[in-house]
């Protein structure tokens, strides 16, 4: 196994992508569940949607434009 000194930071594997999305889903669900048990507004489904949306936006902005990574303007 050869270690690379310059890792390919502009690509992400399907396993890591799936893990990050599932982690956002679970943690958002836990926050929402805690709020729903406490009787607050913005409960389980709302927090799952917000966390999922923010995780997808971050992943898209980080890895979605790898074709343009080497360009200078």
């Amino acid at each position: 196994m050869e270690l690379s000194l310059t890792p390919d930071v502009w690509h992400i594997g399907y396993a890591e992508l799936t893990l990050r999305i599932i982690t956002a889903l679970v943690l958002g669900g836990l926050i929402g569940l805690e709020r729903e048990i406490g009787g607050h507004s913005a409960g389980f489904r709302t927090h799952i949607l917000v966390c999922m949306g923010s995780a997808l936006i971050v992943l898209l902005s980080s890895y979605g434009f790898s074709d343009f990574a080497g360009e200078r303007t």
Side-chain angles (χ1 to χ4, degrees):
M1 183 170 158
E2 182 178 321
L3 292 175
S4 174
L5 295 177
T6 56
D8 191 10
V9 297
W10 296 107
H11 293 91
I12 186 171
Y14 289 122
E16 186 176 353
L17 180 71
T18 304
L19 180 67
R20 288 183 184 195
I21 291 173
I22 289 173
T23 302
L25 216 154
V26 168
L27 293 177
L30 288 175
I31 293 169
L33 187 63
E34 187 269 334
R35 287 187 57 88
E36 205 164 282
I37 290 171
H40 300 336
S41 60
F44 185 69
R45 288 180 294 173
T46 304
H47 276 81
I48 283 181
L49 289 173
V50 168
C51 288
M52 180 69 89
S54 63
L56 290 173
I57 291 295
V58 167
L59 287 171
L60 177 65
S61 65
S62 297
Y63 302 106
F65 303 104
S66 61
D67 294 341
F68 307 107
E71 291 185 8
R72 299 276 183 204
T73 55

